[in-house]
Amino acid sequence: MDIANLIQTVTLYALPVLFAITIHEAAHGYAARHFGDNTAFLQGRITLNPLKHIDPIGTILMPLMLYFATSGAFLFGYAKPVPVNFGALRNPKRDMVWVALAGPASNFAQAIFWALMLVVLAATGIEEPFFLKMAQAGILVNLVMWAFNLFPLPPLDGGRILVGLLPWKQAQLVSRIEPWGFFIVMGLVLAGVVGTLWLRPLMTLGYGLINTLISPLLSLLG
């Protein structure tokens, strides 16, 4: 393993990843409070302080171990989940959808922000590779988080959204998967199913949407 490459990769991705996970988790907390649940607020989790959201194992140790074990071919990590008492929401089944959607939506918004940063860098004539690569890393990281978290299996946000949208009987059946959902998702990831059938199509869509949104600005610059 090339230590120099590792340091360069960590340096490029550190800021985008910290913002991505911090804003993602805070967004869940903000949405939950808006719809009536103060659990995250009372525990001090509605904050943009990354130290409140970092999980030592999931955010630091696991990604580093996977980076070394797979030579950077496969990375996975997670933040400390924001506590949400869905029963405290004013309309639990409906509001669960908005609370779950808030996290991935924040990542898509951040991907747009990093894309706009690329536009700003181009407009101001800044060609420093480090800043350009960091902006590209910001788009990639946030689109991965956006797409992966929308996978429709609890405990991922997409699974919670699915439970909130399904009729009660079907919703209860899906929610029973949650205790084993993480292991099922990891199995599907390792088997290549999530990457091939979910991540790649959604990320292609995400890049296309962002390109459509910023193309008017690019036209002005051109």
Side-chain angles (χ1 to χ4, degrees), residues 12-22 59 114 138 141-142 145:
L12 283 172
Y13 280 85
L15 194 61
V17 167
L18 280 177
F19 275 121
I21 64 174
T22 298
T59 313
W114 286 107
V141 164
N142 280 287
M145 285 192 66

Side-chain angles (χ1 to χ4, degrees), residues 16 19-20 23 104-118 134-147 203 206-207 209-211 213-214:
F19 275 121
I23 296 175
S106 76
N107 289 122
F108 195 81
Q110 289 179 78
I112 295 173
F113 166 81
W114 286 107
L116 290 174
M117 286 297 296
L118 277 178
M134 179 179 286
Q136 291 166 354
I139 299 171
L140 176 63
V141 164
N142 280 287
L143 283 184
V144 168
M145 285 192 66
W146 166 72
M203 289 185 66
Y207 275 114
L209 289 172
I210 290 173
N211 185 58
L213 289 171
I214 68 171

Side-chain angles (χ1 to χ4, degrees), residues 141-208:
V141 164
N142 280 287
L143 283 184
V144 168
M145 285 192 66
W146 166 72
F148 183 75
N149 279 285
L150 285 178
F151 190 75
L153 195 70
L156 295 178
D157 296 326
R160 299 267 168 79
I161 293 169
L162 181 63
V163 169
L165 293 176
L166 287 173
W168 276 108
K169 187 176 181 180
Q170 290 81 359
Q172 288 178 334
L173 289 174
V174 174
S175 64
R176 289 175 186 168
I177 299 172
E178 183 156 348
W180 303 278
F182 177 82
F183 303 102
I184 295 172
V185 171
M186 285 300 95
L188 293 174
V189 167
L190 294 173
V193 175
V194 173
T196 303
L197 300 180
W198 186 262
L199 279 182
R200 288 178 189 171
L202 244 64
M203 289 185 66
T204 299
L205 174 64
Y207 275 114

Side-chain angles (χ1 to χ4, degrees), residues 28-113:
H28 284 312
Y30 279 116
R33 190 182 186 197
H34 175 77
F35 289 106
D37 175 34
N38 285 322
T39 305
F41 172 73
L42 295 174
Q43 294 187 20
R45 295 295 307 281
I46 302 183
T47 175
L48 295 180
N49 178 2
L51 296 178
K52 294 286 186 177
H53 303 292
I54 289 175
D55 182 279
I57 296 176
T59 313
I60 300 171
L61 185 59
M62 181 182 288
L64 284 175
M65 288 177 63
L66 287 173
Y67 185 90
F68 281 109
T70 66
S71 298
F74 175 71
L75 287 177
F76 176 78
Y78 55 87
K80 195 185 301 179
V82 163
V84 177
N85 178 6
F86 293 105
L89 300 173
R90 286 188 287 273
N91 187 325
K93 197 168 185 300
R94 180 200 65 195
D95 297 343
M96 175 194 302
V97 174
W98 295 110
V99 173
L101 189 60
S106 76
N107 289 122
F108 195 81
Q110 289 179 78
I112 295 173
F113 166 81

